[in-house]
Amino acid sequence: MTPKPGADIEITPSLPIAKAAHIYIAFCKKALAANTFKSYRTGVMKLLGYLERHRRGNLVLDKLEVADVNEFLNELITVDGVSNRTRNNIKGACGTFFNYFAKLDRSKKLKKQGNPFEDEDVRMLPFVQNKHQSYSLPQPKQYREACEKLGLDNLLTFCRWMYYTLMRPHEELRRLRVRDVRTKVIYVSGDNDKTNEGDYVDIPLPLEQLIQQQKIRDFPGHYFVFSQSGTPGPVMVGPKFFYRRHVKVLEKMKLEDSGHDMYSWKHTGAIALWTATKDIELVRQQARHSNIKQTIEYLRDLGVRLADDDKIHKFPVF
């Protein structure tokens, strides 16, 4: 029987980083959502690549210095060619990696020594924040008309589901199965959900009508709601299936460089729900945010004014 990674390895400051990485990646694969796992694994593997490139593959945890970390992060840009934002993300992932072992080190030496990725001399680099892009009021109608002219009914249906559920297109909605479409809610599986815990979104009346029109619940529970045939099937569509068709629609609308991606329908739905209800808690629940602050920041990033413009005019006269 093959032993579990790390089962017979004592966690000490002298543990080689390469072995530590093997233990950590195995843990993350079981404990984290798929996308989070990929992000953490990428960061740690980049660190191992740096050590191998400098013939330091046997370096142990407590011998990685701040100077090494800065050199590694610099080479992410100069050698690997990543962006400032990706470099910052990898810095965070590797910092979490070291904290993981600092907590397991019974000698407390790693904790006392400090995390080299969190040293004050290891700084974040500036980057341009990509703002979320939603559709303006006339564009949904134009998008629908373009889909109809191009014969892309399947794409239009997919976008309508995203608009109503605020689900992420590639990681969640594309992987949705018939059994997860319940009576009044849709279950977002922990295997697909970004929190790895699973959650629910409500089914608004227009979506329920669409579900009944498609007869979704009549199909076998293990079928994926979206397949290439346009009806639920045993094989889900590929990650680029809807994206390629989405690009054709944008070309038809002359919006190629407008910044509208598949996520734009999620953002458009969030704005529409807020505009119609002014219920921040409802938007939070449907977007599955952990707190109201996250929802407020999300809507503000979309350019939504949360204040009631008429209330300010009720200011008493002095």
Side-chain angles (χ1 to χ4, degrees):
M1 181 177 178
T2 304
K4 295 181 180 179
D8 300 321
I9 300 177
E10 184 180 0
I11 306 302
T12 68
S14 60
L15 179 66
I17 293 175
K19 287 187 177 180
H22 178 63
I23 296 170
Y24 183 67
I25 289 173
F27 166 77
C28 289
K29 187 174 183 179
K30 291 185 176 182
L32 304 178
N35 276 1
T36 306
F37 163 67
K38 290 178 183 178
S39 177
Y40 279 37
R41 181 183 60 184
T42 296
V44 173
M45 293 306 295
K46 287 290 187 183
L47 176 59
L48 294 185
Y50 159 79
L51 294 176
E52 288 295 332
R53 189 163 60 243
H54 290 271
R55 298 181 180 179
R56 303 179 69 192
N58 294 323
L59 191 70
V60 299
L61 288 171
D62 69 340
K63 296 301 180 183
L64 186 71
E65 301 177 352
V66 172
D68 300 321
V69 169
N70 274 322
E71 183 178 53
F72 161 58
L73 295 176
N74 287 342
E75 288 190 9
L76 285 174
I77 294 175
T78 60
V79 177
D80 294 318
V82 307
S83 65
N84 285 9
R85 181 173 186 171
T86 299
R87 176 264 190 199
N88 290 346
N89 289 340
I90 291 175
K91 172 186 177 298
C94 289
T96 303
F97 164 68
F98 268 81
N99 282 334
Y100 174 82
F101 289 98
K103 293 177 181 178
L104 294 176
D105 173 26
R106 296 182 184 277
S107 72
K108 305 296 182 182
K109 183 179 178 181
L110 288 176
K111 185 176 182 180
K112 184 177 181 180
Q113 179 177 308
N115 189 330
F117 282 91
E118 296 177 353
D119 189 271
E120 61 180 8
D121 289 331
V122 181
R123 301 179 180 180
M124 303 287 279
L125 294 183
F127 64 91
V128 177
Q129 181 72 37
N130 293 324
K131 295 294 183 181
H132 299 306
Q133 183 69 41
S134 61
Y135 287 98
S136 60
L137 286 177
Q139 288 175 335
K141 180 181 178 182
Q142 296 168 3
Y143 192 96
R144 178 193 292 268
E145 292 173 348
C147 283
E148 292 172 349
K149 289 180 180 178
L150 293 170
L152 298 176
D153 294 339
N154 198 8
L155 169 65
L156 179 60
T157 299
F158 184 80
C159 293
R160 292 177 70 189
W161 275 71
M162 196 188 331
Y163 171 86
Y164 290 124
T165 64
L166 309 189
M167 292 173 67
R168 297 182 299 162
H170 310 300
E171 304 89 342
E172 296 173 345
L173 188 55
R174 182 174 66 93
R175 300 173 182 272
L176 184 67
R177 294 181 186 268
V178 170
R179 62 176 175 241
D180 296 325
V181 182
R182 313 287 172 83
T183 303
K184 293 185 178 181
V185 297
I186 292 173
Y187 176 63
V188 185
S189 169
D191 294 334
N192 309 326
D193 177 69
K194 56 187 175 182
T195 65
N196 204 33
E197 296 177 353
D199 209 341
Y200 294 90
V201 295
D202 290 330
I203 299 177
L205 180 59
L207 178 57
E208 176 59 33
Q209 293 172 340
L210 183 60
I211 290 171
Q212 293 184 20
Q213 178 185 334
Q214 295 178 267
K215 299 181 179 179
I216 297 296
R217 299 186 182 96
D218 293 344
F219 288 85
H222 68 281
Y223 273 26
F224 292 95
V225 172
F226 296 97
S227 69
Q228 292 189 17
S229 67
T231 60
V235 180
M236 70 176 169
V237 296
K240 297 291 185 180
F241 180 81
F242 286 119
Y243 173 76
R244 294 192 184 101
R245 289 155 178 78
H246 171 73
V247 170
K248 291 181 180 179
V249 174
L250 293 184
E251 291 174 351
K252 184 77 172 177
M253 297 173 65
K254 301 188 184 305
L255 291 176
E256 299 97 317
D257 300 317
S258 63
H260 291 91
D261 55 16
M262 292 299 295
Y263 274 83
S264 294
W265 285 113
K266 173 181 181 292
H267 309 323
T268 304
I271 293 175
L273 182 59
W274 163 256
T275 303
T277 66
K278 293 295 190 294
D279 188 336
I280 194 71
E281 174 59 19
L282 179 61
V283 178
R284 185 199 69 77
Q285 292 176 6
Q286 195 72 349
R288 289 167 291 128
H289 291 158
S290 58
N291 53 62
I292 291 292
K293 180 181 178 182
Q294 184 180 0
T295 307
I296 291 174
E297 291 176 349
Y298 172 61
L299 290 174
R300 283 178 175 169
D301 194 37
L302 289 172
V304 175
R305 179 176 170 80
L306 299 178
D308 187 336
D309 291 331
D310 292 331
K311 283 186 177 180
I312 191 65
H313 301 308
K314 297 179 181 179
F315 209 120
V317 177
F318 175 61

